[in-house]
mmCIF file with all atom_site columns, all heavy atoms in Angstrom:
data_model
loop_
_atom_site.group_PDB
_atom_site.id
_atom_site.type_symbol
_atom_site.label_atom_id
_atom_site.label_alt_id
_atom_site.label_comp_id
_atom_site.label_asym_id
_atom_site.label_entity_id
_atom_site.label_seq_id
_atom_site.pdbx_PDB_ins_code
_atom_site.Cartn_x
_atom_site.Cartn_y
_atom_site.Cartn_z
_atom_site.occupancy
_atom_site.B_iso_or_equiv
_atom_site.pdbx_formal_charge
_atom_site.auth_seq_id
_atom_site.auth_comp_id
_atom_site.auth_asym_id
_atom_site.auth_atom_id
_atom_site.pdbx_PDB_model_num
ATOM 1   N N   . TYR A 1 1  ? -2.196 -5.554  -21.036 1.00 41.00 ? 86  TYR A N   1
ATOM 2   C CA  . TYR A 1 1  ? -3.124 -5.185  -19.925 1.00 41.00 ? 86  TYR A CA  1
ATOM 3   C C   . TYR A 1 1  ? -2.813 -5.876  -18.672 1.00 41.00 ? 86  TYR A C   1
ATOM 4   O O   . TYR A 1 1  ? -3.486 -5.662  -17.632 1.00 41.00 ? 86  TYR A O   1
ATOM 5   C CB  . TYR A 1 1  ? -4.530 -5.687  -20.370 1.00 41.00 ? 86  TYR A CB  1
ATOM 6   C CG  . TYR A 1 1  ? -4.926 -5.111  -21.698 1.00 41.00 ? 86  TYR A CG  1
ATOM 7   C CD1 . TYR A 1 1  ? -4.904 -5.818  -22.879 1.00 41.00 ? 86  TYR A CD1 1
ATOM 8   C CD2 . TYR A 1 1  ? -5.358 -3.786  -21.786 1.00 41.00 ? 86  TYR A CD2 1
ATOM 9   C CE1 . TYR A 1 1  ? -5.292 -5.265  -24.061 1.00 41.00 ? 86  TYR A CE1 1
ATOM 10  C CE2 . TYR A 1 1  ? -5.742 -3.189  -22.999 1.00 41.00 ? 86  TYR A CE2 1
ATOM 11  C CZ  . TYR A 1 1  ? -5.724 -4.039  -24.181 1.00 41.00 ? 86  TYR A CZ  1
ATOM 12  O OH  . TYR A 1 1  ? -6.085 -3.374  -25.341 1.00 41.00 ? 86  TYR A OH  1
ATOM 13  N N   . LEU A 1 2  ? -1.702 -6.730  -18.692 1.00 39.00 ? 87  LEU A N   1
ATOM 14  C CA  . LEU A 1 2  ? -1.356 -7.375  -17.447 1.00 39.00 ? 87  LEU A CA  1
ATOM 15  C C   . LEU A 1 2  ? -0.198 -6.585  -16.768 1.00 39.00 ? 87  LEU A C   1
ATOM 16  O O   . LEU A 1 2  ? 0.620  -5.940  -17.361 1.00 39.00 ? 87  LEU A O   1
ATOM 17  C CB  . LEU A 1 2  ? -0.782 -8.768  -17.834 1.00 39.00 ? 87  LEU A CB  1
ATOM 18  C CG  . LEU A 1 2  ? -1.732 -9.787  -18.395 1.00 39.00 ? 87  LEU A CG  1
ATOM 19  C CD1 . LEU A 1 2  ? -1.128 -11.089 -18.781 1.00 39.00 ? 87  LEU A CD1 1
ATOM 20  C CD2 . LEU A 1 2  ? -2.939 -9.957  -17.451 1.00 39.00 ? 87  LEU A CD2 1
ATOM 21  N N   . SER A 1 3  ? -0.240 -6.640  -15.418 1.00 35.00 ? 88  SER A N   1
ATOM 22  C CA  . SER A 1 3  ? 0.770  -6.024  -14.634 1.00 35.00 ? 88  SER A CA  1
ATOM 23  C C   . SER A 1 3  ? 0.807  -6.732  -13.309 1.00 35.00 ? 88  SER A C   1
ATOM 24  O O   . SER A 1 3  ? -0.109 -7.260  -12.846 1.00 35.00 ? 88  SER A O   1
ATOM 25  C CB  . SER A 1 3  ? 0.444  -4.491  -14.420 1.00 35.00 ? 88  SER A CB  1
ATOM 26  O OG  . SER A 1 3  ? -0.791 -4.337  -13.739 1.00 35.00 ? 88  SER A OG  1
ATOM 27  N N   . PRO A 1 4  ? 2.038  -6.683  -12.620 1.00 35.00 ? 89  PRO A N   1
ATOM 28  C CA  . PRO A 1 4  ? 2.120  -7.283  -11.381 1.00 35.00 ? 89  PRO A CA  1
ATOM 29  C C   . PRO A 1 4  ? 1.222  -6.640  -10.402 1.00 35.00 ? 89  PRO A C   1
ATOM 30  O O   . PRO A 1 4  ? 0.937  -5.433  -10.470 1.00 35.00 ? 89  PRO A O   1
ATOM 31  C CB  . PRO A 1 4  ? 3.569  -7.085  -10.968 1.00 35.00 ? 89  PRO A CB  1
ATOM 32  C CG  . PRO A 1 4  ? 4.327  -6.802  -12.261 1.00 35.00 ? 89  PRO A CG  1
ATOM 33  C CD  . PRO A 1 4  ? 3.243  -6.140  -13.122 1.00 35.00 ? 89  PRO A CD  1
ATOM 34  N N   . LEU A 1 5  ? 0.756  -7.461  -9.439  1.00 32.00 ? 90  LEU A N   1
ATOM 35  C CA  . LEU A 1 5  ? -0.126 -6.881  -8.328  1.00 32.00 ? 90  LEU A CA  1
ATOM 36  C C   . LEU A 1 5  ? 0.730  -5.905  -7.497  1.00 32.00 ? 90  LEU A C   1
ATOM 37  O O   . LEU A 1 5  ? 1.840  -6.108  -7.301  1.00 32.00 ? 90  LEU A O   1
ATOM 38  C CB  . LEU A 1 5  ? -0.672 -7.936  -7.465  1.00 32.00 ? 90  LEU A CB  1
ATOM 39  C CG  . LEU A 1 5  ? -1.600 -8.912  -8.202  1.00 32.00 ? 90  LEU A CG  1
ATOM 40  C CD1 . LEU A 1 5  ? -2.048 -10.003 -7.254  1.00 32.00 ? 90  LEU A CD1 1
ATOM 41  C CD2 . LEU A 1 5  ? -2.936 -8.169  -8.581  1.00 32.00 ? 90  LEU A CD2 1
ATOM 42  N N   . PRO A 1 6  ? 0.166  -4.844  -7.056  1.00 34.00 ? 91  PRO A N   1
ATOM 43  C CA  . PRO A 1 6  ? 0.822  -3.938  -6.179  1.00 34.00 ? 91  PRO A CA  1
ATOM 44  C C   . PRO A 1 6  ? 1.168  -4.500  -4.719  1.00 34.00 ? 91  PRO A C   1
ATOM 45  O O   . PRO A 1 6  ? 0.566  -5.398  -4.405  1.00 34.00 ? 91  PRO A O   1
ATOM 46  C CB  . PRO A 1 6  ? -0.165 -2.761  -5.932  1.00 34.00 ? 91  PRO A CB  1
ATOM 47  C CG  . PRO A 1 6  ? -1.515 -3.391  -6.132  1.00 34.00 ? 91  PRO A CG  1
ATOM 48  C CD  . PRO A 1 6  ? -1.220 -4.394  -7.240  1.00 34.00 ? 91  PRO A CD  1
ATOM 49  N N   . ILE A 1 7  ? 2.297  -3.984  -4.335  1.00 30.00 ? 92  ILE A N   1
ATOM 50  C CA  . ILE A 1 7  ? 2.790  -4.440  -2.979  1.00 30.00 ? 92  ILE A CA  1
ATOM 51  C C   . ILE A 1 7  ? 2.123  -3.583  -1.879  1.00 30.00 ? 92  ILE A C   1
ATOM 52  O O   . ILE A 1 7  ? 2.113  -2.360  -1.983  1.00 30.00 ? 92  ILE A O   1
ATOM 53  C CB  . ILE A 1 7  ? 4.254  -4.387  -2.859  1.00 30.00 ? 92  ILE A CB  1
ATOM 54  C CG1 . ILE A 1 7  ? 4.946  -5.260  -4.016  1.00 30.00 ? 92  ILE A CG1 1
ATOM 55  C CG2 . ILE A 1 7  ? 4.818  -4.764  -1.459  1.00 30.00 ? 92  ILE A CG2 1
ATOM 56  C CD1 . ILE A 1 7  ? 6.410  -4.995  -4.055  1.00 30.00 ? 92  ILE A CD1 1
ATOM 57  N N   . VAL A 1 8  ? 1.462  -4.173  -0.969  1.00 31.00 ? 93  VAL A N   1
ATOM 58  C CA  . VAL A 1 8  ? 0.744  -3.341  0.060   1.00 31.00 ? 93  VAL A CA  1
ATOM 59  C C   . VAL A 1 8  ? 1.463  -3.389  1.374   1.00 31.00 ? 93  VAL A C   1
ATOM 60  O O   . VAL A 1 8  ? 1.789  -4.449  1.899   1.00 31.00 ? 93  VAL A O   1
ATOM 61  C CB  . VAL A 1 8  ? -0.684 -3.904  0.257   1.00 31.00 ? 93  VAL A CB  1
ATOM 62  C CG1 . VAL A 1 8  ? -1.408 -3.176  1.316   1.00 31.00 ? 93  VAL A CG1 1
ATOM 63  C CG2 . VAL A 1 8  ? -1.451 -3.831  -0.997  1.00 31.00 ? 93  VAL A CG2 1
ATOM 64  N N   . GLU A 1 9  ? 1.831  -2.230  1.880   1.00 32.00 ? 94  GLU A N   1
ATOM 65  C CA  . GLU A 1 9  ? 2.518  -2.073  3.158   1.00 32.00 ? 94  GLU A CA  1
ATOM 66  C C   . GLU A 1 9  ? 1.570  -1.464  4.149   1.00 32.00 ? 94  GLU A C   1
ATOM 67  O O   . GLU A 1 9  ? 1.000  -0.365  3.863   1.00 32.00 ? 94  GLU A O   1
ATOM 68  C CB  . GLU A 1 9  ? 3.802  -1.210  2.988   1.00 32.00 ? 94  GLU A CB  1
ATOM 69  C CG  . GLU A 1 9  ? 4.744  -1.698  2.028   1.00 32.00 ? 94  GLU A CG  1
ATOM 70  C CD  . GLU A 1 9  ? 5.770  -0.670  1.735   1.00 32.00 ? 94  GLU A CD  1
ATOM 71  O OE1 . GLU A 1 9  ? 5.833  0.349   2.395   1.00 32.00 ? 94  GLU A OE1 1
ATOM 72  O OE2 . GLU A 1 9  ? 6.594  -0.921  0.805   1.00 32.00 ? 94  GLU A OE2 1
ATOM 73  N N   . MET A 1 10 ? 1.349  -2.109  5.233   1.00 31.00 ? 95  MET A N   1
ATOM 74  C CA  . MET A 1 10 ? 0.351  -1.544  6.213   1.00 31.00 ? 95  MET A CA  1
ATOM 75  C C   . MET A 1 10 ? 1.103  -0.986  7.416   1.00 31.00 ? 95  MET A C   1
ATOM 76  O O   . MET A 1 10 ? 2.067  -1.542  7.981   1.00 31.00 ? 95  MET A O   1
ATOM 77  C CB  . MET A 1 10 ? -0.550 -2.749  6.664   1.00 31.00 ? 95  MET A CB  1
ATOM 78  C CG  . MET A 1 10 ? -1.653 -2.244  7.781   1.00 31.00 ? 95  MET A CG  1
ATOM 79  S SD  . MET A 1 10 ? -2.730 -3.550  8.250   1.00 31.00 ? 95  MET A SD  1
ATOM 80  C CE  . MET A 1 10 ? -3.670 -3.721  6.771   1.00 31.00 ? 95  MET A CE  1
ATOM 81  N N   . GLN A 1 11 ? 0.739  0.198   7.803   1.00 31.00 ? 96  GLN A N   1
ATOM 82  C CA  . GLN A 1 11 ? 1.284  0.881   8.935   1.00 31.00 ? 96  GLN A CA  1
ATOM 83  C C   . GLN A 1 11 ? 0.162  1.302   9.857   1.00 31.00 ? 96  GLN A C   1
ATOM 84  O O   . GLN A 1 11 ? -0.756 2.105   9.331   1.00 31.00 ? 96  GLN A O   1
ATOM 85  C CB  . GLN A 1 11 ? 2.148  2.021   8.494   1.00 31.00 ? 96  GLN A CB  1
ATOM 86  C CG  . GLN A 1 11 ? 3.347  1.528   7.694   1.00 31.00 ? 96  GLN A CG  1
ATOM 87  C CD  . GLN A 1 11 ? 4.098  2.649   7.068   1.00 31.00 ? 96  GLN A CD  1
ATOM 88  O OE1 . GLN A 1 11 ? 3.495  3.750   6.805   1.00 31.00 ? 96  GLN A OE1 1
ATOM 89  N NE2 . GLN A 1 11 ? 5.379  2.513   6.842   1.00 31.00 ? 96  GLN A NE2 1
ATOM 90  N N   . LEU A 1 12 ? 0.175  1.032   11.071  1.00 29.00 ? 97  LEU A N   1
ATOM 91  C CA  . LEU A 1 12 ? -0.827 1.533   12.014  1.00 29.00 ? 97  LEU A CA  1
ATOM 92  C C   . LEU A 1 12 ? -0.400 2.736   12.720  1.00 29.00 ? 97  LEU A C   1
ATOM 93  O O   . LEU A 1 12 ? 0.713  2.800   13.280  1.00 29.00 ? 97  LEU A O   1
ATOM 94  C CB  . LEU A 1 12 ? -1.078 0.428   13.037  1.00 29.00 ? 97  LEU A CB  1
ATOM 95  C CG  . LEU A 1 12 ? -2.171 0.709   14.093  1.00 29.00 ? 97  LEU A CG  1
ATOM 96  C CD1 . LEU A 1 12 ? -3.523 0.915   13.478  1.00 29.00 ? 97  LEU A CD1 1
ATOM 97  C CD2 . LEU A 1 12 ? -2.289 -0.503  15.102  1.00 29.00 ? 97  LEU A CD2 1
ATOM 98  N N   . SER A 1 13 ? -1.223 3.751   12.697  1.00 30.00 ? 98  SER A N   1
ATOM 99  C CA  . SER A 1 13 ? -0.911 5.005   13.226  1.00 30.00 ? 98  SER A CA  1
ATOM 100 C C   . SER A 1 13 ? -1.906 5.350   14.315  1.00 30.00 ? 98  SER A C   1
ATOM 101 O O   . SER A 1 13 ? -3.078 5.082   14.289  1.00 30.00 ? 98  SER A O   1
ATOM 102 C CB  . SER A 1 13 ? -1.022 6.165   12.170  1.00 30.00 ? 98  SER A CB  1
ATOM 103 O OG  . SER A 1 13 ? -1.025 7.352   12.808  1.00 30.00 ? 98  SER A OG  1
ATOM 104 N N   . VAL A 1 14 ? -1.314 5.838   15.388  1.00 30.00 ? 99  VAL A N   1
ATOM 105 C CA  . VAL A 1 14 ? -2.172 6.261   16.564  1.00 30.00 ? 99  VAL A CA  1
ATOM 106 C C   . VAL A 1 14 ? -2.759 7.648   16.333  1.00 30.00 ? 99  VAL A C   1
ATOM 107 O O   . VAL A 1 14 ? -3.670 8.001   17.031  1.00 30.00 ? 99  VAL A O   1
ATOM 108 C CB  . VAL A 1 14 ? -1.280 6.283   17.915  1.00 30.00 ? 99  VAL A CB  1
ATOM 109 C CG1 . VAL A 1 14 ? -2.120 6.737   19.094  1.00 30.00 ? 99  VAL A CG1 1
ATOM 110 C CG2 . VAL A 1 14 ? -0.644 4.977   18.085  1.00 30.00 ? 99  VAL A CG2 1
ATOM 111 N N   . ASP A 1 15 ? -2.240 8.353   15.362  1.00 32.00 ? 100 ASP A N   1
ATOM 112 C CA  . ASP A 1 15 ? -2.807 9.710   15.062  1.00 32.00 ? 100 ASP A CA  1
ATOM 113 C C   . ASP A 1 15 ? -4.302 9.745   14.596  1.00 32.00 ? 100 ASP A C   1
ATOM 114 O O   . ASP A 1 15 ? -4.511 9.349   13.549  1.00 32.00 ? 100 ASP A O   1
ATOM 115 C CB  . ASP A 1 15 ? -1.885 10.308  13.962  1.00 32.00 ? 100 ASP A CB  1
ATOM 116 C CG  . ASP A 1 15 ? -2.316 11.717  13.630  1.00 32.00 ? 100 ASP A CG  1
ATOM 117 O OD1 . ASP A 1 15 ? -3.005 12.339  14.491  1.00 32.00 ? 100 ASP A OD1 1
ATOM 118 O OD2 . ASP A 1 15 ? -2.108 12.170  12.518  1.00 32.00 ? 100 ASP A OD2 1
ATOM 119 N N   . ALA A 1 16 ? -5.111 10.026  15.560  1.00 31.00 ? 101 ALA A N   1
ATOM 120 C CA  . ALA A 1 16 ? -6.513 10.088  15.221  1.00 31.00 ? 101 ALA A CA  1
ATOM 121 C C   . ALA A 1 16 ? -7.177 8.826   14.700  1.00 31.00 ? 101 ALA A C   1
ATOM 122 O O   . ALA A 1 16 ? -8.078 8.790   13.985  1.00 31.00 ? 101 ALA A O   1
ATOM 123 C CB  . ALA A 1 16 ? -6.800 11.360  14.232  1.00 31.00 ? 101 ALA A CB  1
ATOM 124 N N   . GLY A 1 17 ? -6.549 7.696   15.125  1.00 29.00 ? 102 GLY A N   1
ATOM 125 C CA  . GLY A 1 17 ? -7.029 6.454   14.592  1.00 29.00 ? 102 GLY A CA  1
ATOM 126 C C   . GLY A 1 17 ? -6.975 6.153   13.148  1.00 29.00 ? 102 GLY A C   1
ATOM 127 O O   . GLY A 1 17 ? -7.873 5.485   12.632  1.00 29.00 ? 102 GLY A O   1
ATOM 128 N N   . LEU A 1 18 ? -6.033 6.645   12.448  1.00 27.00 ? 103 LEU A N   1
ATOM 129 C CA  . LEU A 1 18 ? -5.944 6.433   10.996  1.00 27.00 ? 103 LEU A CA  1
ATOM 130 C C   . LEU A 1 18 ? -5.160 5.216   10.672  1.00 27.00 ? 103 LEU A C   1
ATOM 131 O O   . LEU A 1 18 ? -4.011 5.035   11.206  1.00 27.00 ? 103 LEU A O   1
ATOM 132 C CB  . LEU A 1 18 ? -5.343 7.715   10.334  1.00 27.00 ? 103 LEU A CB  1
ATOM 133 C CG  . LEU A 1 18 ? -6.062 8.994   10.517  1.00 27.00 ? 103 LEU A CG  1
ATOM 134 C CD1 . LEU A 1 18 ? -5.343 10.061  9.770   1.00 27.00 ? 103 LEU A CD1 1
ATOM 135 C CD2 . LEU A 1 18 ? -7.472 8.852   10.032  1.00 27.00 ? 103 LEU A CD2 1
ATOM 136 N N   . ARG A 1 19 ? -5.575 4.409   9.701   1.00 27.00 ? 104 ARG A N   1
ATOM 137 C CA  . ARG A 1 19 ? -4.757 3.236   9.210   1.00 27.00 ? 104 ARG A CA  1
ATOM 138 C C   . ARG A 1 19 ? -4.301 3.671   7.899   1.00 27.00 ? 104 ARG A C   1
ATOM 139 O O   . ARG A 1 19 ? -5.124 3.931   6.963   1.00 27.00 ? 104 ARG A O   1
ATOM 140 C CB  . ARG A 1 19 ? -5.621 2.036   9.264   1.00 27.00 ? 104 ARG A CB  1
ATOM 141 C CG  . ARG A 1 19 ? -4.837 0.747   9.026   1.00 27.00 ? 104 ARG A CG  1
ATOM 142 C CD  . ARG A 1 19 ? -5.739 -0.465  8.917   1.00 27.00 ? 104 ARG A CD  1
ATOM 143 N NE  . ARG A 1 19 ? -6.380 -0.704  10.187  1.00 27.00 ? 104 ARG A NE  1
ATOM 144 C CZ  . ARG A 1 19 ? -5.866 -1.330  11.279  1.00 27.00 ? 104 ARG A CZ  1
ATOM 145 N NH1 . ARG A 1 19 ? -4.671 -1.883  11.089  1.00 27.00 ? 104 ARG A NH1 1
ATOM 146 N NH2 . ARG A 1 19 ? -6.567 -1.482  12.415  1.00 27.00 ? 104 ARG A NH2 1
ATOM 147 N N   . MET A 1 20 ? -3.017 3.542   7.655   1.00 30.00 ? 105 MET A N   1
ATOM 148 C CA  . MET A 1 20 ? -2.460 3.957   6.431   1.00 30.00 ? 105 MET A CA  1
ATOM 149 C C   . MET A 1 20 ? -1.987 2.709   5.628   1.00 30.00 ? 105 MET A C   1
ATOM 150 O O   . MET A 1 20 ? -1.317 1.857   6.110   1.00 30.00 ? 105 MET A O   1
ATOM 151 C CB  . MET A 1 20 ? -1.137 4.788   6.580   1.00 30.00 ? 105 MET A CB  1
ATOM 152 C CG  . MET A 1 20 ? -1.325 5.970   7.532   1.00 30.00 ? 105 MET A CG  1
ATOM 153 S SD  . MET A 1 20 ? -1.974 7.396   6.750   1.00 30.00 ? 105 MET A SD  1
ATOM 154 C CE  . MET A 1 20 ? -0.682 7.794   5.614   1.00 30.00 ? 105 MET A CE  1
ATOM 155 N N   . LEU A 1 21 ? -2.534 2.631   4.346   1.00 28.00 ? 106 LEU A N   1
ATOM 156 C CA  . LEU A 1 21 ? -2.060 1.599   3.447   1.00 28.00 ? 106 LEU A CA  1
ATOM 157 C C   . LEU A 1 21 ? -1.336 2.258   2.338   1.00 28.00 ? 106 LEU A C   1
ATOM 158 O O   . LEU A 1 21 ? -1.801 3.028   1.537   1.00 28.00 ? 106 LEU A O   1
ATOM 159 C CB  . LEU A 1 21 ? -3.226 0.862   2.838   1.00 28.00 ? 106 LEU A CB  1
ATOM 160 C CG  . LEU A 1 21 ? -4.199 0.146   3.844   1.00 28.00 ? 106 LEU A CG  1
ATOM 161 C CD1 . LEU A 1 21 ? -5.347 -0.538  3.068   1.00 28.00 ? 106 LEU A CD1 1
ATOM 162 C CD2 . LEU A 1 21 ? -3.391 -0.961  4.579   1.00 28.00 ? 106 LEU A CD2 1
ATOM 163 N N   . LYS A 1 22 ? -0.085 1.863   2.221   1.00 32.00 ? 107 LYS A N   1
ATOM 164 C CA  . LYS A 1 22 ? 0.825  2.494   1.188   1.00 32.00 ? 107 LYS A CA  1
ATOM 165 C C   . LYS A 1 22 ? 0.890  1.468   0.066   1.00 32.00 ? 107 LYS A C   1
ATOM 166 O O   . LYS A 1 22 ? 1.450  0.416   0.289   1.00 32.00 ? 107 LYS A O   1
ATOM 167 C CB  . LYS A 1 22 ? 2.204  2.876   1.717   1.00 32.00 ? 107 LYS A CB  1
ATOM 168 C CG  . LYS A 1 22 ? 3.156  3.413   0.619   1.00 32.00 ? 107 LYS A CG  1
ATOM 169 C CD  . LYS A 1 22 ? 4.510  3.776   1.213   1.00 32.00 ? 107 LYS A CD  1
ATOM 170 C CE  . LYS A 1 22 ? 5.339  4.257   0.065   1.00 32.00 ? 107 LYS A CE  1
ATOM 171 N NZ  . LYS A 1 22 ? 6.767  4.506   0.596   1.00 32.00 ? 107 LYS A NZ  1
ATOM 172 N N   . ILE A 1 23 ? 0.450  1.920   -1.146  1.00 28.00 ? 108 ILE A N   1
ATOM 173 C CA  . ILE A 1 23 ? 0.402  0.961   -2.233  1.00 28.00 ? 108 ILE A CA  1
ATOM 174 C C   . ILE A 1 23 ? 1.565  1.269   -3.215  1.00 28.00 ? 108 ILE A C   1
ATOM 175 O O   . ILE A 1 23 ? 1.667  2.405   -3.697  1.00 28.00 ? 108 ILE A O   1
ATOM 176 C CB  . ILE A 1 23 ? -0.908 0.961   -3.123  1.00 28.00 ? 108 ILE A CB  1
ATOM 177 C CG1 . ILE A 1 23 ? -2.000 0.562   -1.994  1.00 28.00 ? 108 ILE A CG1 1
ATOM 178 C CG2 . ILE A 1 23 ? -0.874 0.082   -4.228  1.00 28.00 ? 108 ILE A CG2 1
ATOM 179 C CD1 . ILE A 1 23 ? -3.339 0.496   -2.741  1.00 28.00 ? 108 ILE A CD1 1
ATOM 180 N N   . THR A 1 24 ? 2.583  0.351   -3.328  1.00 32.00 ? 109 THR A N   1
ATOM 181 C CA  . THR A 1 24 ? 3.750  0.730   -4.184  1.00 32.00 ? 109 THR A CA  1
ATOM 182 C C   . THR A 1 24 ? 3.782  -0.265  -5.377  1.00 32.00 ? 109 THR A C   1
ATOM 183 O O   . THR A 1 24 ? 3.622  -1.529  -5.194  1.00 32.00 ? 109 THR A O   1
ATOM 184 C CB  . THR A 1 24 ? 4.927  0.402   -3.379  1.00 32.00 ? 109 THR A CB  1
ATOM 185 O OG1 . THR A 1 24 ? 4.859  1.217   -2.207  1.00 32.00 ? 109 THR A OG1 1
ATOM 186 C CG2 . THR A 1 24 ? 6.223  0.825   -4.094  1.00 32.00 ? 109 THR A CG2 1
ATOM 187 N N   . GLU A 1 25 ? 3.953  0.269   -6.550  1.00 34.00 ? 110 GLU A N   1
ATOM 188 C CA  . GLU A 1 25 ? 4.088  -0.685  -7.736  1.00 34.00 ? 110 GLU A CA  1
ATOM 189 C C   . GLU A 1 25 ? 5.407  -1.214  -7.795  1.00 34.00 ? 110 GLU A C   1
ATOM 190 O O   . GLU A 1 25 ? 6.417  -0.505  -7.509  1.00 34.00 ? 110 GLU A O   1
ATOM 191 C CB  . GLU A 1 25 ? 3.689  0.179   -8.937  1.00 34.00 ? 110 GLU A CB  1
ATOM 192 C CG  . GLU A 1 25 ? 2.409  0.727   -8.945  1.00 34.00 ? 110 GLU A CG  1
ATOM 193 C CD  . GLU A 1 25 ? 1.831  0.915   -10.392 1.00 34.00 ? 110 GLU A CD  1
ATOM 194 O OE1 . GLU A 1 25 ? 2.488  0.544   -11.330 1.00 34.00 ? 110 GLU A OE1 1
ATOM 195 O OE2 . GLU A 1 25 ? 0.714  1.469   -10.496 1.00 34.00 ? 110 GLU A OE2 1
ATOM 196 N N   . PRO A 1 26 ? 5.546  -2.482  -8.144  1.00 34.00 ? 111 PRO A N   1
ATOM 197 C CA  . PRO A 1 26 ? 6.916  -3.052  -8.228  1.00 34.00 ? 111 PRO A CA  1
ATOM 198 C C   . PRO A 1 26 ? 7.832  -2.474  -9.241  1.00 34.00 ? 111 PRO A C   1
ATOM 199 O O   . PRO A 1 26 ? 7.322  -1.697  -10.234 1.00 34.00 ? 111 PRO A O   1
ATOM 200 C CB  . PRO A 1 26 ? 6.538  -4.530  -8.740  1.00 34.00 ? 111 PRO A CB  1
ATOM 201 C CG  . PRO A 1 26 ? 5.103  -4.737  -8.359  1.00 34.00 ? 111 PRO A CG  1
ATOM 202 C CD  . PRO A 1 26 ? 4.504  -3.391  -8.530  1.00 34.00 ? 111 PRO A CD  1
ATOM 203 N N   . GLN A 1 27 ? 9.173  -2.508  -9.042  1.00 36.00 ? 112 GLN A N   1
ATOM 204 C CA  . GLN A 1 27 ? 10.129 -1.886  -9.844  1.00 36.00 ? 112 GLN A CA  1
ATOM 205 C C   . GLN A 1 27 ? 10.049 -2.358  -11.337 1.00 36.00 ? 112 GLN A C   1
ATOM 206 O O   . GLN A 1 27 ? 10.196 -1.510  -12.179 1.00 36.00 ? 112 GLN A O   1
ATOM 207 C CB  . GLN A 1 27 ? 11.474 -2.181  -9.291  1.00 36.00 ? 112 GLN A CB  1
ATOM 208 C CG  . GLN A 1 27 ? 12.596 -1.438  -10.013 1.00 36.00 ? 112 GLN A CG  1
ATOM 209 C CD  . GLN A 1 27 ? 12.637 0.028   -9.634  1.00 36.00 ? 112 GLN A CD  1
ATOM 210 O OE1 . GLN A 1 27 ? 12.096 0.361   -8.611  1.00 36.00 ? 112 GLN A OE1 1
ATOM 211 N NE2 . GLN A 1 27 ? 13.128 0.807   -10.533 1.00 36.00 ? 112 GLN A NE2 1
#
């Protein structure tokens, strides 16, 4: 039941004020 925490990459977009959070699981 254990797994590494996801890596969170934050990218700020000017498109209509959207903030994108890309969650990637470690290799």
Side-chain angles (χ1 to χ4, degrees):
Y86 307 101
L87 295 177
S88 63
L90 291 175
I92 301 169
V93 180
E94 302 170 6
M95 179 177 290
Q96 295 169 332
L97 180 61
S98 163
V99 182
D100 178 25
L103 300 180
R104 189 181 299 272
M105 309 277 296
L106 297 179
K107 179 180 179 183
I108 300 183
T109 308
E110 301 209 2
Q112 187 69 25

